[in-house]
């Protein structure tokens, strides 16, 4: 069961927490002016702490036009824009408005979620969509207490039980990338991943490892490099890998942006792609067609992930139960120009 359907607090619970009578709580809720200031403040604090929603607030939520909050950790990547396109297209179909904001990566954990959820509830928001964010049980519970459903797309950490997340088949995608390189004849295949704690990066790594082990291919520890999903990580990861005494003949990068960084570093060293080094990315963004050479990549259905998140949050807001709390949409390997058999001098 989704956590947004947690048991609602009662007036008696609010009164007990505030140390007042139930009639006093009722007076505060309905704006009566015959309650002393300090008492009113205690009651309001208790209401907020327990996430009590008054009948007035519930009527506001049900009568207000559909409003969904959408939070990204940045909108400067092709990945984010593709997800945003999917969300807004579904919002248009569902006659829902999206309130868009961004937050610095890592800052979301320090946000006062109790105040945030209260503001959303008071303004009649239908739900919240978080993209590539790291969240905790306590933070998500703050929204559950205010009956605000939360859906997370590509969470950086596994969401607490009962909360909804949307992702792709990352393990299968990592396996497909490695198998493609193995089929071309590569045996020295490295991985440039995202953060060690990022669930999607770990799944891609495990898929890559499963493919290599199934074919009896050894993976030296130095062939696995962590970073972030950006171009700079690709540059630094490639510099580390290509400086090894026995460098890889192929690299699987955990994102298209990371793969472009690998390509930058290879070009700086005079290493040709794919003649000297094969390269596979992940995401399937428009960057794959814009790079030179065009990038082989594991394509995620990013727009459909956005559409699925918007539909899911609206279903939850309407009190529906979802078939699953974690949805994985299928990935597919798209072969372009950045992969080829290894040169004969690099068996």
């Amino acid at each position: 069961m989704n956590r947004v359907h947690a048991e609602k607090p009662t007036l008696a619970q609010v009164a007990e927490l505030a140390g007042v009578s139930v009639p006093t709580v009722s007076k505060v809720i309905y704006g009566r002016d015959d309650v002393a200031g300090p008492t009113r403040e205690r009651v309001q604090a208790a209401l907020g702490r327990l996430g009590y929603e008054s009948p007035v607030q519930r009527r506001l939520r049900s009568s207000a036009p559909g409003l969904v909050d959408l939070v990204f950790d940045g909108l400067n990547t092709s990945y984010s824009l593709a997800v945003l396109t999917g969300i807004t297209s579904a919002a248009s179909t569902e006659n829902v408005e999206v309130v868009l904001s961004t937050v610095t990566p890592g800052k979301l954990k320090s946000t006062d979620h109790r105040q945030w959820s209260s503001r959303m509830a008071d303004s009649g928001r239908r739900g919240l969509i978080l993209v590539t964010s790291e969240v905790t049980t306590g933070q998500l519970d703050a929204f559950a207490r205010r009956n605000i459903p939360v859906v997370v797309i590509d969470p950086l950490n596994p969401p607490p039980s009962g909360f909804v997340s949307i992702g792709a088949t990352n393990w299968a995608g990592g396996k497909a990338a490695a198998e493609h390189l193995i089929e071309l004849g590569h045996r020295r295949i490295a991985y440039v991943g995202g953060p060690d704690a990022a669930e999607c990066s770990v799944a891609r790594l495990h898929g890559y490892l499963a493919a290599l082990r199934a074919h009896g291919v050894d993976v030296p520890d130095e062939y696995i490099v962590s970073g972030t999903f950006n171009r700079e990580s690709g540059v630094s990861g490639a510099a580390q890998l290509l400086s090894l005494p026995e460098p890889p003949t192929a690299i699987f990068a955990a994102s298209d942006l990371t793969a472009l960084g690998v390509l930058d570093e290879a070009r700086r060293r005079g290493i040709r792609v794919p003649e000297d080094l094969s390269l596979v990315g992940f995401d399937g963004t428009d960057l794959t067609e814009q790079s030179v050479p065009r990038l082989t990549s594991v394509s995620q259905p990013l727009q459909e992930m956005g559409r699925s998140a918007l539909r899911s949050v609206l279903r939850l807001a309407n009190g529906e139960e979802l078939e699953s709390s974690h949805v994985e949409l299928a990935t597919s390997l798209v072969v372009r120009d950045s992969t080829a058999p290894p040169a004969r001098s690099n068996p």
Side-chain angles (χ1 to χ4, degrees):
M1 175 178 288
N2 193 276
R3 299 284 283 277
V4 298
H5 299 301
E7 184 177 347
K8 298 177 182 179
T10 64
L11 284 179
Q13 291 172 324
V14 175
E16 182 179 0
L17 181 60
V20 299
S21 66
V22 170
T24 298
V25 174
S26 182
K27 290 179 181 180
V28 173
I29 288 174
Y30 288 99
R32 294 271 297 273
D33 57 8
D34 54 342
V35 179
T39 301
R40 184 182 302 277
E41 290 176 2
R42 290 205 315 275
V43 171
Q44 289 173 336
L47 289 167
R49 182 173 177 182
L50 294 177
Y52 181 86
E53 188 175 45
S54 71
V56 173
Q57 290 172 321
R58 286 195 290 271
R59 285 197 298 272
L60 174 61
R61 185 193 301 276
S62 62
S63 63
L67 289 171
V68 173
D69 275 20
L70 169 62
V71 179
F72 282 88
D73 61 1
L75 277 174
N76 56 345
T77 66
S78 295
Y79 169 97
S80 299
L81 293 176
V83 171
L84 176 61
T85 298
I87 291 173
T88 54
S89 67
S92 177
T93 300
E94 299 289 343
N95 195 29
V96 172
E97 295 182 9
V98 174
V99 180
L100 175 63
S101 60
T102 61
V103 63
T104 303
K107 186 178 180 181
L108 190 66
K109 293 181 68 175
S110 61
T111 301
D112 189 331
H113 288 70
R114 188 177 298 169
Q115 290 185 5
W116 185 6
S117 61
S118 294
R119 288 196 302 270
M120 288 186 64
D122 292 343
S123 60
R125 297 290 203 267
R126 301 295 305 281
L128 171 65
I129 299 174
L130 301 172
V131 184
T132 60
S133 299
E134 185 175 1
V135 291
T136 67
T137 300
Q139 292 162 347
L140 291 173
D141 277 340
F143 292 97
R145 285 193 294 268
R146 302 309 299 262
N147 298 307
I148 296 173
V150 179
V151 173
V152 187
I153 298 177
D154 261 353
L156 293 184
N157 60 321
S161 175
F163 286 97
V164 176
S165 63
I166 308 291
T169 52
N170 291 294
W171 186 91
K175 184 172 182 287
E179 286 182 337
H180 169 63
L181 294 168
I182 292 168
E183 289 168 1
L184 289 173
H186 292 278
R187 293 298 180 268
R188 304 207 304 267
I189 305 169
Y191 176 70
V192 180
D196 288 330
E199 184 180 25
C200 57
S201 181
V202 172
R204 294 166 197 175
L205 169 62
H206 288 173
Y208 147 90
L209 290 173
L212 294 179
R213 289 166 179 163
H215 288 82
V217 178
D218 291 331
V219 184
D221 291 342
E222 58 267 27
Y223 271 22
I224 298 175
V225 180
S226 301
T228 54
F229 298 115
N230 59 28
R231 198 163 186 149
E232 291 74 17
S233 283
V235 171
S236 60
Q240 183 175 333
L241 292 167
L242 297 176
S243 297
L244 293 172
E246 192 172 46
T249 64
I251 293 176
F252 168 39
S255 76
D256 292 342
L257 204 53
T258 302
L260 292 188
V262 173
L263 189 59
D264 291 341
E265 181 62 18
R267 185 176 293 119
R268 189 185 71 80
R269 292 170 177 254
I271 296 173
R272 299 168 301 166
V273 175
E275 293 86 354
D276 305 318
L277 177 72
S278 282
L279 178 61
V280 179
F282 201 109
D283 284 335
T285 61
D286 55 7
L287 297 174
T288 58
E289 293 288 345
Q290 297 171 6
S291 67
V292 180
R294 296 183 313 141
L295 182 64
T296 295
S297 179
V298 178
S299 178
Q300 295 193 83
L302 297 174
Q303 292 192 27
E304 182 54 34
M305 287 162 61
R307 286 190 285 267
S308 178
L310 192 283
R311 290 193 294 262
S312 295
V313 84
L314 291 180
R315 287 183 61 188
L316 292 171
N318 290 333
E320 298 181 38
E321 291 286 342
L322 301 184
E323 294 76 13
S324 173
S325 62
H326 179 60
V327 177
E328 284 193 349
L329 303 179
T331 55
S332 60
L333 178 70
V334 180
V335 179
R336 297 185 179 87
D337 305 329
S338 65
T339 51
R344 291 185 178 179
S345 59
N346 292 321

